[in-house]
Amino acid sequence: MHAGETSGSSAAVSVVALDELSLPLDGRRDGKIRSSWTVAPTETDGPRRLFVTSDRLSAFDRVVGLVPGKGQLLNLLSWWWFAQLGDIVANHALSVPDPAVLVAREATPLPVEVIVRRAITGVTNTSLWRRYESGQRTIDGHVLPDGLAKNELLPATVITPTTKGAAGSHDEPLSVADVAQRGLVAPDLWAQVCDAALRMFSAGERIAERAGLVLADTKYEFGLGHDGHLMLIDEVHTPDSSRFWERSSYEARLSQGHEPESLDKELIRRAFAELGFRGDGPTPDLGDHVWAAAAAGYQRTYERLTGTPFAPPAGNPTLRIPAALAAAGLLPESS
């Protein structure tokens, strides 16, 4: 599952992994998972960007493999969530001309990521659990009681922001107070961000519960539009940005000291951690069965949240996407 082709949700569908894509557009920017380009502004929406979500999977702040079809699943699930949460805070999403493509309002990202946590978990060095396990009880400004077990629900939902690390560097944990005190975000705007984040997480918990899932934590990114208004950007409540656990077995597995059934990329993180890999040095080979299990978890999460089947389209995305963009009038006519 970490390269090349794999079977999709139906046995006859062959899915080609999307890694890199070139488009005849200006203003390219590349992240670990997404690349974006400028597209012509409109009178209604102002400046716009076109985002393509690849099938790359990142863990420990680096790209560690490919999961064919993952990019379009993330893109379509975010599109669905943007619609569910639009009454809480504005977002940048405008249209989906291809399953892996989002046309969005241009935004200036805020320099912090907003992590909202309902459970104490994680395997990375900066995770809440790893720091708690090491003896810390005041973490990112939150005082935690003694006696918490890994993967247990916290006494209350908390926000633990981080800086956005440059390429190849790690994010730096912050407290809620640090963000305004360091001048990273203006106090009034930061208060809006925190309020929106907690309200979105609460809504996400309710929807996840109806789907038989536990939303353990998530990451939100915010930005300012060209007119200065706050927007939710990037992705939202996907298996890449959130931890989703199987609700039906959660309590039993917790009482037995087992890890929850993860329907997100935590399965990949754990597999690497068990091999002693936490982001430094060569990437170990996990084996196709681990990647296949992660892909299946992603699909189950999508289908249970949205109530619709996920059917990745066949064909080469490097050919399909430009054709879809041309048909939508988003590419120069000479391309």
Side-chain angles (χ1 to χ4, degrees):
M1 293 292 290
H2 53 289
E5 300 183 0
T6 187
S7 295
S9 57
S10 62
V13 176
S14 179
V15 183
V16 179
L18 174 61
D19 187 358
E20 296 291 339
L21 180 70
S22 294
L23 293 173
L25 295 169
D26 296 328
R28 177 168 181 156
R29 299 174 189 164
D30 291 306
K32 296 186 189 76
I33 306 303
R34 290 170 181 81
S35 296
S36 70
W37 295 259
T38 55
V39 290
T42 66
E43 185 174 343
T44 303
D45 302 314
R48 300 183 298 166
R49 290 195 73 81
L50 185 150
F51 293 83
V52 175
T53 305
S54 75
D55 292 335
R56 297 187 294 271
L57 187 143
S58 70
F60 306 102
D61 289 323
R62 60 186 283 187
V63 174
V64 294
L66 293 170
V67 179
K70 180 179 81 76
Q72 57 203 41
L73 184 150
L74 297 184
N75 191 56
L76 292 175
L77 184 55
S78 285
W79 175 252
W80 184 85
W81 275 112
F82 282 134
Q84 311 307 308
L85 304 173
D87 61 340
I88 296 175
V89 64
N91 61 68
H92 70 161
L94 293 171
S95 65
V96 176
D98 176 272
V101 177
L102 177 71
V103 177
R105 298 175 183 88
E106 180 125 40
T108 301
L110 299 185
V112 293
E113 294 181 347
V114 183
I115 316 298
V116 182
R117 304 183 190 273
R118 186 66 183 91
I120 184 165
T121 189
V123 298
T124 66
N125 292 332
T126 57
S127 70
L128 209 57
W129 172 250
R130 291 268 290 173
R131 287 182 284 165
Y132 184 89
E133 185 184 35
S134 73
Q136 297 181 49
R137 291 297 179 267
T138 300
I139 303 176
D140 302 338
H142 302 285
V143 180
L144 303 180
D146 290 330
L148 294 178
K150 186 181 183 185
N151 303 317
E152 184 177 347
L153 296 184
L154 292 164
T157 303
V158 299
I159 294 177
T160 60
T162 70
T163 61
K164 292 183 180 180
S169 64
H170 296 291
D171 301 335
E172 177 192 352
L174 302 167
S175 72
V176 169
D178 286 337
V179 175
Q181 289 173 359
R182 294 190 188 184
L184 296 171
V185 181
D188 289 349
L189 178 59
W190 180 234
Q192 292 180 52
V193 168
C194 291
D195 177 69
L198 290 173
R199 291 172 62 197
M200 286 193 296
F201 191 85
S202 179
E205 280 190 297
R206 291 193 298 271
I207 292 172
E209 183 174 5
R210 291 200 298 267
L213 301 171
V214 175
L215 177 59
D217 57 33
T218 198
K219 170 182 71 70
Y220 300 122
E221 294 199 39
F222 293 87
L224 299 179
H226 71 285
D227 58 357
H229 72 280
L230 182 68
M231 293 191 294
L232 177 66
I233 62 172
D234 195 52
E235 63 182 321
V236 55
H237 293 170
T238 74
D240 255 22
S241 64
S242 313
R243 286 184 176 91
F244 288 100
W245 296 337
E246 180 64 62
R247 180 173 290 276
S248 63
S249 62
Y250 168 69
E251 292 290 349
R253 293 183 68 86
L254 188 68
S255 66
Q256 296 164 8
H258 298 320
E259 293 287 349
E261 292 182 67
S262 291
L263 302 178
D264 53 61
K265 73 174 178 181
E266 184 68 7
L267 187 149
I268 296 293
R269 290 195 195 99
R270 290 178 191 162
F272 277 127
E274 288 172 2
L275 295 174
F277 176 79
R278 297 186 185 275
D280 298 318
T283 306
D285 183 8
L286 295 182
D288 287 347
H289 66 288
V290 176
W291 293 95
Y298 273 55
Q299 182 168 328
R300 289 200 303 276
T301 300
Y302 175 94
E303 293 179 343
R304 288 168 63 173
L305 288 169
T306 67
T308 58
F310 175 68
N316 190 328
T318 62
L319 302 176
R320 186 195 76 231
I321 291 173
L325 298 183
L330 292 166
L331 295 184
E333 292 185 4
S334 58
S335 64

